[in-house]
Amino acid sequence: MAPKFPDSVEELRAAGNERFRNGQYAEASALYGRALRVLQAQGSSNPEEESVLYSNRAACHLKDGNCRDCIKDCTSALALLPFSIKPLLRRASAYEALEKYPMAYVDYKTVLQIDDSVTSALEGINRMTRALMDSLGPEWRLKLPSIPLVPVSAQKRWNSLPSENHKEMAKSKSKETTTTKNRVPSAGDVERARVLKEEGNELVKKGNHKKAIEKYSESLLYSNLESATYSNRALCYLVLKQYKEAVKDCTEALKLDGKNVKAFYRRAQAHKALKDYKSSFADISNLLQIEPRNGPAQKLRQEVKQSLH
């Protein structure tokens, strides 16, 4: 006897979830679509269930690289249940894949109004800020669409929902990297840190290393989770011959990113200037394991080798 094909909304959604977990995204999408048709045919108003089905089908589209249909389904889900985190994140990912960075920024930012410690949204804001600065220039914020203000009632509703979304957020929080003060920087902090770091970079290009150090230091007060901010400040200390400070900053940078090539190179330079040739050689060796053809590092290794003998 052939197995009974699911026909209730709940059975169809459960079957879709199982296919999704098994990586069968097209089959899962079809099951969610059928569940939506059954639900709509019933005529009963169940916006939460309908929103979840659209959001789940959007996840299938995203996995299959069908970004436009993902955006369409997420928008339908959000029309039924505004300020739901999963469809916002999925739509942001689809916009990002299509290089519609202003729209992606708005969705990531909206998520962070609901919960300002969602890791994927914080990382998304970082990526979009970089992309928007590159494509639109320093005045990029003026060219963004308006960001919707999330009402407190929506935040309260969200916090009280014992849903899959809420479980997902709890999982995200458990994965977060914390600052030395055991505090995750808010979205606003991360953004301010990013802007200050970019200002520091501009000052370095102009040769104003003292002012750049001030900008990088201020950036680190807002968020000390970015390796590049430390390694950039280390460059300034090197130029100003403050070698011990350069070593400290490179060490902090490498704690955050063990493959930060610039941090290894700059710490090797600082160690060499301090006549700690053994430590300098060790840093260059580590760098060359990551980038064996790095010309400046090969040259520095030869110089340090001569000092060791």
Side-chain angles (χ1 to χ4, degrees), residues 27 59 66 95 104 124 134 156 162 180 183 216 240 244-245 251 295:
E27 292 91 334
N66 185 353
Y95 278 137
D134 288 345
K156 284 178 180 171
T180 49
R183 178 187 68 82
Y216 292 137
L240 298 171
K244 287 180 182 176
E245 286 81 359
T251 301

Side-chain angles (χ1 to χ4, degrees), residues 20-77:
F20 187 89
R21 282 193 294 271
N22 293 334
Q24 298 167 285
Y25 304 122
E27 292 91 334
S29 175
L31 285 160
Y32 294 137
R34 186 170 175 187
L36 276 165
R37 289 192 294 277
V38 170
L39 185 66
Q40 288 157 0
Q42 288 171 357
S44 57
S45 179
N46 190 343
E48 287 198 19
E49 178 70 37
E50 197 173 347
S51 178
V52 167
L53 288 167
Y54 275 119
S55 178
N56 286 5
R57 190 170 68 178
C60 300
H61 294 320
L62 191 60
K63 288 286 189 182
D64 279 336
N66 185 353
C67 293
R68 284 178 176 80
D69 281 344
C70 172
I71 290 165
K72 191 176 170 186
D73 273 356
C74 288
T75 302
S76 296

Side-chain angles (χ1 to χ4, degrees), residues 72-123:
K72 191 176 170 186
D73 273 356
C74 288
T75 302
S76 296
L78 290 161
L80 290 156
L81 205 62
F83 308 117
S84 297
I85 287 184
K86 278 189 176 180
L88 279 166
L89 285 173
R90 286 165 186 165
R91 191 169 68 179
S93 295
Y95 278 137
E96 185 175 350
L98 293 171
E99 296 184 7
K100 295 185 176 182
Y101 300 135
M103 304 300 288
Y105 183 93
V106 168
D107 278 350
Y108 284 131
K109 191 75 174 170
T110 304
V111 169
L112 292 170
Q113 286 186 70
I114 300 163
D115 183 341
D116 70 0
S117 62
V118 177
T119 309
S120 54
L122 284 165
E123 290 170 349

Side-chain angles (χ1 to χ4, degrees), residues 12-293:
L12 287 161
R13 179 157 58 87
N17 291 349
E18 190 179 343
R19 298 292 197 291
F20 187 89
R21 282 193 294 271
N22 293 334
Q24 298 167 285
Y25 304 122
E27 292 91 334
S29 175
L31 285 160
Y32 294 137
R34 186 170 175 187
L36 276 165
R37 289 192 294 277
V38 170
L39 185 66
Q40 288 157 0
Q42 288 171 357
S44 57
S45 179
N46 190 343
E48 287 198 19
E49 178 70 37
E50 197 173 347
S51 178
V52 167
L53 288 167
Y54 275 119
S55 178
N56 286 5
R57 190 170 68 178
C60 300
H61 294 320
L62 191 60
K63 288 286 189 182
D64 279 336
N66 185 353
C67 293
R68 284 178 176 80
D69 281 344
C70 172
I71 290 165
K72 191 176 170 186
D73 273 356
C74 288
T75 302
S76 296
L78 290 161
L80 290 156
L81 205 62
F83 308 117
S84 297
I85 287 184
K86 278 189 176 180
L88 279 166
L89 285 173
R90 286 165 186 165
R91 191 169 68 179
S93 295
Y95 278 137
E96 185 175 350
L98 293 171
E99 296 184 7
K100 295 185 176 182
Y101 300 135
M103 304 300 288
Y105 183 93
V106 168
D107 278 350
Y108 284 131
K109 191 75 174 170
T110 304
V111 169
L112 292 170
Q113 286 186 70
I114 300 163
D115 183 341
D116 70 0
S117 62
V118 177
T119 309
S120 54
L122 284 165
E123 290 170 349
I125 282 285
N126 279 345
R127 289 192 303 275
M128 293 309 93
T129 301
R130 279 196 296 270
L132 288 163
M133 283 189 81
D134 288 345
S135 60
L136 301 178
E139 302 296 314
W140 62 272
R141 278 188 184 78
L142 303 176
K143 300 168 187 175
L144 288 178
S146 60
I147 297 166
L149 185 66
V150 178
V152 176
S153 59
Q155 294 179 43
K156 284 178 180 171
R157 171 185 60 75
W158 186 260
N159 289 333
S160 65
L161 275 180
S163 63
E164 287 176 20
N165 290 329
H166 205 64
K167 285 177 198 164
E168 185 174 274
M169 291 312 106
K171 258 190 243 170
S172 288
K173 282 185 183 178
S174 70
K175 290 179 188 171
E176 281 157 17
T177 312
T178 56
T179 65
T180 49
K181 293 180 181 175
N182 209 29
R183 178 187 68 82
V184 176
S186 70
D189 288 344
V190 169
E191 212 175 322
R192 280 191 288 273
R194 169 72 59 193
V195 171
L196 286 160
K197 190 190 89 168
E198 295 298 339
E199 289 174 7
N201 293 349
E202 289 303 312
L203 287 163
V204 168
K205 287 174 191 173
K206 292 171 184 172
N208 195 340
H209 294 94
K210 281 186 181 177
K211 281 281 182 190
I213 285 172
E214 290 174 18
K215 290 291 182 183
Y216 292 137
S217 300
E218 198 179 343
S219 173
L220 290 165
L221 288 174
Y222 284 108
S223 172
N224 62 357
L225 301 181
E226 187 158 351
S227 179
T229 310
Y230 282 107
S231 55
N232 288 3
R233 190 171 67 175
L235 170 66
C236 299
Y237 283 135
L238 271 175
V239 171
L240 298 171
K241 300 185 179 179
Q242 294 175 247
Y243 301 121
K244 287 180 182 176
E245 286 81 359
V247 168
K248 282 180 195 170
D249 269 3
C250 289
T251 301
E252 288 301 321
L254 289 162
K255 282 179 191 173
L256 291 164
D257 177 5
K259 292 187 176 180
N260 185 330
V261 168
K262 288 178 180 177
F264 275 122
Y265 185 72
R266 288 165 188 169
R267 192 168 69 178
Q269 287 178 303
H271 281 312
K272 179 175 177 269
L274 292 166
K275 297 186 166 36
D276 184 353
Y277 301 119
K278 194 174 177 182
S279 296
S280 181
F281 192 82
D283 279 340
I284 301 163
S285 299
N286 283 325
L287 188 164
L288 289 169
Q289 282 180 359
I290 301 164
E291 284 188 10
R293 294 183 180 179

